[in-house]
Amino acid sequence: MAKTKLTINNNGSVKIEGDFEIVDKNGNNYGLQGREVLSICRCGLSQNKPFCDGAHKGHFEHDAIAFDLPPKKV
């Protein structure tokens, strides 16, 4: 299986690329119609949630800079 890549965009969505599926809380698949790239809403303003429709423009600020999480608790 190809590796899936998620990119956290500045002031916007999460871009997903690769081989993936998206399911709702009941395990039902969203019909992605063969898409291998799409964006998920992070701002909550999209009319097409969970997918991004660009509604965040000018209404959502976040500088996406990678960092290390603390060690996993065991």
Side-chain angles (χ1 to χ4, degrees), residues 3-59:
K3 189 173 183 180
T4 300
K5 177 181 175 182
L6 281 77
T7 303
I8 312 302
N9 293 314
N10 282 342
N11 306 324
S13 63
V14 175
K15 180 179 177 182
I16 305 173
E17 302 173 83
D19 184 19
F20 59 88
E21 65 179 347
I22 300 177
V23 298
D24 67 13
K25 67 178 183 169
N26 298 315
N28 299 310
N29 282 310
Y30 283 89
L32 304 178
Q33 309 305 321
R35 287 175 175 81
E36 295 178 351
V37 177
L38 58 75
S39 293
I40 298 293
C41 176
R42 286 197 306 143
C43 72
L45 298 174
S46 176
Q47 296 298 306
N48 196 31
K49 287 184 213 73
F51 307 103
C52 178
D53 67 3
H56 62 271
K57 291 186 170 113
H59 301 286

Side-chain angles (χ1 to χ4, degrees), residues 49-71:
K49 287 184 213 73
F51 307 103
C52 178
D53 67 3
H56 62 271
K57 291 186 170 113
H59 301 286
F60 182 72
E61 293 184 20
H62 175 258
D63 288 330
I65 299 171
F67 60 91
D68 292 334
L69 290 173

